[in-house]
Amino acid sequence: MKENQAKLNLLREEIENCSEKEAAALVEAAEKSAEETVAALEKELSAKRGGNIRRITEDFRTAERKRVSETCFRENRRVLLRRNELTEEFFSAVKEKLVTLTETPRYTAYLSTSAERAEKEMPLDEKTKVLCRECDTAALVTVLKDKNCTLEAVKNIEIGGIMVSCPEKGIILDLTLDSALEAEREGFSALKEMQL
């Protein structure tokens, strides 16, 4: 019986050793599997987090570029509008100054020079009309006394000067201060600094 007991103890010991080995192997396999699962999840979460961070960063950069672009456009537009406002004020002041100068003796000399210039382009004869402001007719009667052209006052000349019209040839020569000022304004506005 003792012998059976010893065999039984040996068998029990062998079973326990095998069980412990199997248990250790199972635990090791489970731990390895758990570590791989955790590592895979960590990698997946890291990729998602990294992807989210990249997406969030790119979204932020895109929104920021758009905001900066809109701000730049808005500020450029504000500057351009202010420039246009200053340009308008400047040319209004120039117009007032020109109107004031039309009340001086120098203006009569200007009308005479304009008539001479017009005559170089076309003869001032019975086929031509010289158009002017109502208040310039008296000065132009004196300037054009030797000419056989028609003198006519019109309302569309505000500042001064003359327009010479030859309906027969379909020619109009504009020597008004109005058109000269408008040409200066257009030239000034065409400068690249005045564009948006």
Side-chain angles (χ1 to χ4, degrees), residues 35-95:
E35 284 176 12
E36 288 173 356
T37 304
V38 168
L41 284 172
E42 282 178 346
K43 188 175 180 180
E44 185 181 327
L45 287 173
S46 179
K48 282 184 180 178
R49 187 175 32 228
N52 285 342
I53 289 171
R54 279 191 295 279
R55 184 184 50 75
I56 290 167
T57 303
E58 190 55 38
D59 289 349
F60 175 76
R61 284 186 180 135
T62 301
E64 195 59 17
R65 280 193 294 267
K66 182 179 178 185
R67 186 189 68 76
V68 167
S69 177
E70 287 172 350
T71 300
C72 286
F73 179 79
R74 189 172 45 252
E75 287 306 304
N76 286 340
R77 186 173 185 280
R78 186 184 62 77
V79 167
L80 184 62
L81 289 173
R82 180 64 180 142
R83 281 184 195 157
N84 288 342
E85 187 180 300
L86 291 172
T87 301
E88 190 58 40
E89 288 173 15
F90 172 76
F91 279 100
S92 291
V94 170
K95 182 178 179 180

